Amino acid sequence: MDRVSSFDEPLLKLLGGATAKVMAEHLDLHTVGDLLHHYPRRYEERGKLTALADLPLDEHVTVVAQVADARILMFNNGRGKRLEVTLTDGSGRLQLVFFGHGVHKPHKELLPGRQAMFAGKASVFNRKMQLAHPTYQLLDASDADEATEAVDAFAGRLLPIYPACKQLDSWRIAKAVDAVLPSARDAVDPLPASLREGRGFTPLPEALLKVHRPQTKADVEDARARLKWDEAFVLQVALARRRYADTQLPAVARRPVADGLLDAFDAKLPFTLTEGQEKVSKEIFDDLATEHPMHRLLQGEVGSGKTMVALRAMLTVVDAGGQAAMLAPTEVLAQQHHRSITEMMGELAEGGMLGGSDRGTKVVLLTGSMGMAARRQALLDLVTGEAGIVIGTHALIEDKVQFHDLGLVVVDEQHRFGVEQRDALRSKGKQPPHLLVMTATPIPRTVAMTVFGDLETSVLDQLPAGRSPIASHVVPAKDKPHFLSRAWERVREEVGNGHQAYVVCPRIGDDAEEAEGKGGKKAKAKKQAADEDPEKRPPLAVLEIADELRKGALAGLSVEVLHGRMHPDAKDDVMRRFAAGDVDVLVATTVIEVGVNVPNATAMVIMDADRFGVSQLHQLRGRVGRGSAPGLCLLVSEAHEASPARARLSAVAATLDGFELSRIDLEQRREGDVLGQAQSGVRSSLRMLTVIDDEEVIAAAREEAVAVVAADPGLEHLPELRTVLAALLDKDREEYLDKG
């Protein structure tokens, strides 16, 4: 059954070219269905005025208010005219300004006592909030036909305020919605009748009418409850079908072998595994022993021992005659993993080599920048099965790479790795290999259910014994420059005590644009803009800061740089010398964000910390305090004390709990960025549901979805649900979920 045609009708046919073009370009609305799912952001009550005191600055706003007074002022020796109108609503006052020829119409219409809806961008002029040249619609005039229509349309009703744009005001969107509202009757209802009745939901056509043209607040509540459910349920059905399809795939069961490589490895561990590591390892071993592919997400705090858990899973697969591949997002990280895994395994990583263990295997590294001879040998070791474990970047996915028997794929930091790439590696097994996805970014449960809903989740939330606490502080460099001087003194003290430090900058520096502008107009303009507003200056750069530190605050210490534009051999050399303790201070970009493990590094200074996201700061901070000495993380910022950026930094400084921070992060950014590319298409389908606030709805929808798919995997008896699913998961989105 196809999607009902009136929902597919292009807006161009119904609304006229100009409006349809703006809707398509600025609001991503193309069809009648798109517009009916463009829900009001909030509602105004007729006669109840918006609080002018709460207007957000620099945002496109819609207010309902009363004209207090209006006056025409002359300027420029009488050559210029300006109309100033003051609005009031009891909570505050707002000034409107109209210039030039634009003053005549509003001067006649905006008389004291009149009420109207105004839309425009709120800005500050002469320390007063104002809207310049707002568009408006009178709500209480009686002479003009248009105004009479407005009164009829809005009188006694809740006024829907739509997410709008500069080119199209909320009430113009409302008029467009009026034109397509009759099509709501044709809405295909995705909910099975038993579920809808069992939960007492309003039918979908009625919910659409109520959300756009509610008579009462209860109408709005009804409609929202229903529309949220649809979004959560349809998405969870898509994910449940993915999980069901995965259980139908064949895989080779990989069971632990007594007295094999894993037992030999466990016997030489100098510490005992945490309770969490034991529990998660059991979940993974149980999955590996089944004859359909494991799909598991392992999320754990920075330093919670995820690599150890993943390595034990890889050794189990090698014991069972298979091979394991670990995929890292960058070369630095792949090299780091290779180094730490071979060190942990010792002679067990030298199978078939002189001095290697007879129970051992070969652990090979495969990256794009390897020399030809080393690469050829690595490829040979993989195809013959000599190498049981391979660690690499996306170079592992190239056609030339062939495995003897690929049994397990471990993907590190999934959010940096395309789903297509994951899929290409999975296709290298004789049968689909087991899949373990690791992330050090803690994800709230609802987001995990939504973004990674096709994976089972394991959580490591205990830190291994011996990890030290990290003290974090915000350093307000602009307000209190002496704090920054003290930060560099602290770095010197740490180095003096035999430790090392990181300095992180958002940018590499020395780029072409700057080179072109050096000494020229461009550089001067940049400097002037930066002096006036720190937000406008370019982010601080590794090469410049390293240079300043060598000559100034850290003179006499060994200061080296690390960034993505360096040759891989040079990067590796710097990392090796830093790990060996030959470098005191490493000035780097975020290449050190994940996986870099130098237990002797105890201090980190993050420059322009407000330019990083919450989870990124948390990741970076996790690079220190990895040994027995306590860690110190200093977040340097020029952001104003009352700014959201500073609030974000204070939140990071206040807690080491990654799950708490991920919640804060999500509340600040909402879904758009969080869902990101993790599920293409899902993001644009969430209009009513907010992943962070609707935990109960998502959990309940998941349960219902699992039951529906278990009873009818092909949705043969639910043609409407199948139709809506096809609309949500058009070709690209379906593929995206398929590759999850």
Side-chain angles (χ1 to χ4, degrees):
M1 174 181 168
D2 285 319
R3 200 176 173 206
V4 169
S5 57
S6 75
F7 260 50
D8 279 335
E9 192 92 33
L11 288 172
L12 192 61
K13 268 190 174 177
L14 293 161
L15 303 180
T19 304
K21 186 169 186 264
V22 171
M23 285 193 168
E25 285 177 9
H26 297 278
L27 297 169
D28 197 21
L29 305 174
H30 306 273
T31 64
V32 167
D34 291 342
L35 182 52
L36 285 174
H37 288 300
H38 186 71
Y39 306 128
R41 176 177 283 149
R42 58 190 173 86
Y43 302 86
E44 288 295 354
E45 288 177 64
R46 176 87 178 92
K48 180 186 170 205
L49 305 177
T50 319
L52 294 181
D54 301 335
L55 281 187
L57 200 57
D58 285 336
E59 275 188 34
H60 204 72
V61 295
T62 303
V63 298
V64 178
Q66 198 162 20
V67 177
D69 64 60
R71 58 199 172 282
I72 284 193
L73 303 172
M74 300 296 198
F75 61 95
N76 209 357
N77 291 333
R79 289 198 294 277
K81 251 184 204 178
R82 178 168 88 237
L83 171 65
E84 287 185 0
V85 179
T86 305
L87 303 181
T88 177
D89 70 346
S91 79
R93 294 167 87 77
L94 175 67
Q95 192 161 293
L96 312 180
V97 187
F98 301 87
F99 292 101
H101 298 301
V103 306
H104 303 302
K105 188 166 180 262
H107 189 222
K108 279 194 292 195
E109 293 181 337
L110 298 177
L111 303 172
R114 284 229 164 133
Q115 209 179 8
M117 277 209 293
F118 301 88
K121 195 171 181 183
S123 59
V124 168
F125 180 72
N126 271 348
R127 288 192 280 190
K128 281 186 189 164
M129 185 79 95
Q130 72 166 29
L131 300 185
H133 275 287
T135 49
Y136 62 90
Q137 182 162 353
L138 298 169
L139 296 181
D140 55 0
S142 51
D143 44 1
D145 290 346
E146 194 182 329
T148 310
E149 276 174 36
V151 175
D152 293 345
F154 294 120
R157 272 205 207 155
L158 292 169
L159 313 182
I161 306 293
Y162 287 91
C165 60
K166 190 177 168 187
Q167 295 80 358
L168 203 62
D169 298 320
S170 170
W171 53 83
R172 293 210 179 108
I173 295 171
K175 279 184 177 166
V177 169
D178 284 335
V180 302
L181 210 49
S183 298
R185 288 191 303 269
D186 300 330
V188 177
D189 198 325
L191 296 192
S194 58
L195 194 161
R196 190 177 68 238
E197 285 151 20
R199 289 186 175 265
F201 284 130
T202 306
L204 184 57
E206 196 185 315
L208 288 169
L209 288 169
K210 280 181 170 178
V211 81
H212 288 292
R213 297 294 171 262
Q215 300 295 324
T216 62
K217 287 180 180 173
D219 282 355
V220 176
E221 291 307 309
D222 265 9
R224 281 179 179 264
R226 168 64 217 255
L227 295 167
K228 273 183 185 182
W229 242 91
D230 282 18
E231 287 176 11
F233 178 71
V234 171
L235 180 55
Q236 291 301 333
V237 167
L239 294 165
R241 290 184 79 190
R242 279 292 347 118
R243 289 194 302 275
Y244 179 84
D246 287 337
T247 64
Q248 304 308 298
L249 289 172
V252 179
R254 312 282 178 172
R255 296 184 180 87
V257 172
D259 290 330
L261 192 51
L262 178 64
D263 285 352
F265 175 75
D266 283 351
K268 65 193 280 300
L269 276 180
F271 51 82
T272 53
L273 297 174
T274 65
E275 214 175 292
Q277 285 174 319
E278 293 277 14
K279 177 176 144 285
V280 170
S281 289
K282 185 182 182 313
E283 290 170 351
I284 292 170
F285 291 160
D286 288 349
D287 281 359
L288 289 173
T290 59
E291 290 180 352
H292 59 81
M294 162 171 84
H295 284 97
R296 191 164 281 280
L297 171 70
L298 171 56
Q299 52 168 356
E301 278 288 13
V302 176
S304 59
K306 290 182 302 297
T307 312
M308 172 63 68
V309 169
L311 176 55
R312 295 182 76 243
M314 293 197 283
L315 296 176
T316 301
V317 169
V318 175
D319 273 344
Q323 289 169 295
M326 182 184 247
L327 211 51
T330 64
E331 291 209 353
V332 167
L333 195 50
Q335 288 161 347
Q336 175 82 32
H337 276 317
H338 181 252
R339 204 160 38 239
S340 62
I341 282 173
T342 49
E343 278 167 15
M344 281 196 267
M345 286 176 65
E347 76 280 6
L348 296 173
E350 295 162 1
M353 296 188 235
L354 204 60
S357 162
D358 53 353
R359 282 192 287 188
T361 187
K362 240 185 186 181
V363 178
V364 300
L365 176 69
L366 191 63
T367 62
S369 65
M370 278 168 79
M372 214 50 217
R375 188 179 172 74
R376 200 173 289 125
Q377 184 60 52
L379 291 173
L380 188 66
D381 287 342
L382 285 179
V383 76
T384 59
E386 189 81 13
I389 294 176
V390 58
I391 293 147
T393 53
H394 47 259
L396 278 178
I397 297 164
E398 291 166 16
D399 294 344
K400 288 194 213 71
V401 181
Q402 289 182 333
F403 291 85
H404 177 64
D405 178 15
L406 181 61
L408 170 67
V409 175
V410 178
V411 180
D412 193 19
E413 290 305 320
Q414 189 274 348
H415 63 285
R416 293 155 178 270
F417 217 91
V419 190
E420 291 87 349
Q421 293 159 310
R422 224 162 68 180
D423 198 46
L425 191 54
R426 271 168 55 177
S427 68
K428 291 188 177 287
K430 294 190 176 84
Q431 286 187 323
H434 298 281
L435 175 69
L436 180 65
V437 172
M438 301 198 297
T439 177
T441 308
I443 305 162
R445 179 169 157 262
T446 40
V447 182
M449 279 196 290
T450 310
V451 180
F452 299 107
D454 53 340
L455 302 171
E456 299 301 329
T457 303
S458 295
V459 178
L460 271 178
D461 47 14
Q462 267 176 304
L463 287 185
R467 283 302 299 260
S468 302
I470 305 168
S472 307
H473 304 283
V474 178
V475 177
K478 200 171 179 67
D479 313 342
K480 299 178 179 167
H482 61 285
F483 275 39
L484 184 57
S485 312
R486 176 71 189 124
W488 300 126
E489 280 171 25
R490 284 291 291 115
V491 169
R492 277 190 171 281
E493 286 164 17
E494 290 298 311
V495 172
N497 290 332
H499 298 300
Q500 293 157 278
Y502 297 98
V503 176
V504 182
C505 304
R507 205 166 52 101
I508 297 172
D510 195 23
D511 48 299
E513 186 194 312
E514 287 174 76
E516 172 198 273
K518 268 180 192 160
K521 286 181 187 167
K522 211 174 234 183
K524 279 183 190 156
K526 268 189 179 176
K527 184 176 183 327
Q528 193 177 340
D531 289 343
E532 287 164 19
D533 182 359
E535 292 293 306
K536 288 193 178 137
R537 71 162 167 75
L540 295 171
V542 165
L543 299 175
E544 293 153 22
I545 293 290
D547 208 33
E548 282 175 29
L549 291 175
R550 285 188 191 112
K551 292 174 186 161
L554 302 183
L557 301 186
S558 154
V559 176
E560 295 273 359
V561 300
L562 180 71
H563 58 75
R565 282 210 305 260
M566 288 163 64
H567 187 278
D569 291 348
K571 278 191 229 173
D572 204 34
D573 176 55
V574 170
M575 267 323 297
R576 272 181 198 286
R577 288 189 295 115
F578 188 65
D582 301 337
V583 173
D584 296 326
V585 179
L586 188 63
V587 184
T589 55
T590 54
V591 290
I592 61 145
E593 181 184 343
V594 283
V596 173
N597 184 24
V598 179
N600 191 44
T602 53
M604 176 176 284
V605 180
I606 303 178
M607 307 302 291
D608 275 346
D610 47 281
R611 312 266 180 139
F612 298 99
V614 169
S615 60
Q616 209 174 16
L617 291 169
H618 183 59
Q619 290 274 9
L620 286 165
R621 169 171 64 184
R623 300 301 112 216
V624 294
R626 300 178 80 85
S628 52
L632 172 69
C633 178
L634 302 173
L635 306 165
V636 179
S637 167
E638 289 189 4
H640 189 271
E641 194 168 358
S643 66
R646 275 286 286 278
R648 209 166 60 229
L649 295 183
S650 300
V652 174
T655 178
L656 290 171
D657 180 338
F659 286 92
E660 175 59 28
L661 286 174
S662 68
R663 254 197 117 74
I664 292 167
D665 196 18
L666 186 51
E667 276 163 4
Q668 290 190 340
R669 296 189 298 157
R670 308 313 291 179
E671 286 61 49
D673 304 335
V674 177
L675 298 183
Q677 285 304 307
Q679 303 292 14
S680 164
V682 164
R683 175 176 47 177
S684 55
S685 69
L686 298 189
R687 297 167 194 275
M688 188 65 83
L689 191 74
T690 53
V691 173
I692 197 80
D693 301 328
D694 297 316
E695 190 158 340
E696 284 164 23
V697 175
I698 292 168
R702 180 175 167 124
E703 257 174 58
E704 294 277 13
V706 168
V708 163
V709 171
D712 182 3
L715 306 181
E716 304 297 330
H717 305 294
L718 298 168
E720 293 82 6
L721 178 54
R722 221 171 48 238
T723 300
V724 174
L725 209 53
L728 169 72
L729 303 176
D730 54 33
K731 198 76 201 102
D732 299 345
R733 297 171 185 175
E734 183 70 83
E735 278 171 15
Y736 227 101
L737 280 175
D738 269 353
K739 288 171 181 165

Short mmCIF file of all heavy atoms in Angstrom, two decimals, residues 82 89 135 290 302 316 395 522 559 626 636 652 657 701 739:
data_model
loop_
_atom_site.label_atom_id
_atom_site.label_comp_id
_atom_site.label_asym_id
_atom_site.label_seq_id
_atom_site.Cartn_x
_atom_site.Cartn_y
_atom_site.Cartn_z
N ARG A 82 11.95 58.76 11.30
CA ARG A 82 11.97 57.49 12.03
C ARG A 82 10.69 57.41 12.87
O ARG A 82 10.35 58.36 13.56
CB ARG A 82 13.21 57.46 12.93
CG ARG A 82 13.33 56.23 13.78
CD ARG A 82 14.72 56.14 14.42
NE ARG A 82 14.78 56.82 15.70
CZ ARG A 82 15.63 57.79 16.00
NH1 ARG A 82 16.50 58.21 15.11
NH2 ARG A 82 15.63 58.36 17.20
N ASP A 89 3.26 45.15 27.87
CA ASP A 89 2.43 43.98 28.18
C ASP A 89 2.34 43.76 29.68
O ASP A 89 1.96 42.70 30.14
CB ASP A 89 3.01 42.73 27.52
CG ASP A 89 4.30 42.30 28.16
OD1 ASP A 89 4.88 43.10 28.93
OD2 ASP A 89 4.75 41.17 27.92
N THR A 135 7.47 42.80 11.02
CA THR A 135 6.19 42.65 10.34
C THR A 135 5.15 42.52 11.46
O THR A 135 5.49 42.12 12.58
CB THR A 135 6.17 41.38 9.48
OG1 THR A 135 6.64 40.31 10.25
CG2 THR A 135 7.04 41.54 8.26
N THR A 290 26.81 -17.59 20.48
CA THR A 290 25.58 -17.89 19.74
C THR A 290 25.84 -17.91 18.23
O THR A 290 26.85 -17.38 17.77
CB THR A 290 24.48 -16.84 20.02
OG1 THR A 290 24.99 -15.57 19.63
CG2 THR A 290 24.09 -16.81 21.48
N VAL A 302 35.89 7.23 30.37
CA VAL A 302 37.30 7.30 30.02
C VAL A 302 38.07 6.54 31.09
O VAL A 302 37.88 6.78 32.28
CB VAL A 302 37.73 8.79 30.04
CG1 VAL A 302 39.20 8.90 29.78
CG2 VAL A 302 36.95 9.58 29.01
N THR A 316 39.41 -14.59 22.90
CA THR A 316 38.46 -15.72 22.87
C THR A 316 38.22 -16.17 21.44
O THR A 316 38.18 -17.37 21.14
CB THR A 316 37.11 -15.27 23.49
OG1 THR A 316 37.38 -14.85 24.83
CG2 THR A 316 36.10 -16.40 23.52
N ALA A 395 42.04 1.77 6.52
CA ALA A 395 42.86 1.02 5.55
C ALA A 395 42.47 -0.46 5.59
O ALA A 395 42.67 -1.20 4.62
CB ALA A 395 44.34 1.18 5.90
N LYS A 522 44.11 42.23 6.27
CA LYS A 522 43.31 41.14 6.82
C LYS A 522 43.68 40.89 8.29
O LYS A 522 42.83 40.77 9.16
CB LYS A 522 43.56 39.88 6.00
CG LYS A 522 42.38 38.96 5.94
CD LYS A 522 42.68 37.83 5.01
CE LYS A 522 41.59 37.72 3.96
NZ LYS A 522 41.75 36.63 3.07
N VAL A 559 59.28 21.39 25.13
CA VAL A 559 57.90 21.57 24.63
C VAL A 559 57.83 21.09 23.18
O VAL A 559 58.58 21.56 22.34
CB VAL A 559 57.49 23.07 24.71
CG1 VAL A 559 56.10 23.28 24.12
CG2 VAL A 559 57.55 23.57 26.15
N ARG A 626 45.93 9.20 34.89
CA ARG A 626 45.83 7.79 34.53
C ARG A 626 46.81 6.93 35.32
O ARG A 626 46.83 5.72 35.18
CB ARG A 626 46.08 7.61 33.03
CG ARG A 626 45.07 8.36 32.18
CD ARG A 626 45.34 8.23 30.69
NE ARG A 626 44.86 6.98 30.16
CZ ARG A 626 43.62 6.74 29.75
NH1 ARG A 626 42.72 7.69 29.83
NH2 ARG A 626 43.27 5.57 29.26
N VAL A 636 40.81 27.03 30.25
CA VAL A 636 41.09 28.46 30.06
C VAL A 636 40.07 29.05 29.10
O VAL A 636 39.82 28.49 28.02
CB VAL A 636 42.51 28.67 29.49
CG1 VAL A 636 42.79 30.16 29.26
CG2 VAL A 636 43.55 28.07 30.43
N VAL A 652 31.36 21.24 33.56
CA VAL A 652 32.42 20.24 33.36
C VAL A 652 33.35 20.21 34.58
O VAL A 652 33.73 19.14 35.05
CB VAL A 652 33.23 20.54 32.07
CG1 VAL A 652 34.42 19.60 31.94
CG2 VAL A 652 32.33 20.41 30.85
N ASP A 657 31.38 12.86 36.44
CA ASP A 657 30.44 11.83 36.01
C ASP A 657 30.03 12.08 34.55
O ASP A 657 29.28 13.00 34.25
CB ASP A 657 29.20 11.88 36.93
CG ASP A 657 28.16 10.83 36.55
OD1 ASP A 657 28.18 10.37 35.39
OD2 ASP A 657 27.32 10.49 37.39
N ALA A 701 7.47 2.72 24.11
CA ALA A 701 7.34 2.49 22.67
C ALA A 701 8.26 1.36 22.23
O ALA A 701 7.90 0.55 21.37
CB ALA A 701 7.67 3.77 21.91
N LYS A 739 22.77 -0.64 7.78
CA LYS A 739 24.21 -0.82 8.01
C LYS A 739 24.57 -0.69 9.47
O LYS A 739 25.70 -0.82 9.85
CB LYS A 739 24.97 0.21 7.19
CG LYS A 739 24.91 -0.14 5.73
CD LYS A 739 25.45 0.95 4.89
CE LYS A 739 25.34 0.57 3.43
NZ LYS A 739 25.53 1.68 2.56
#
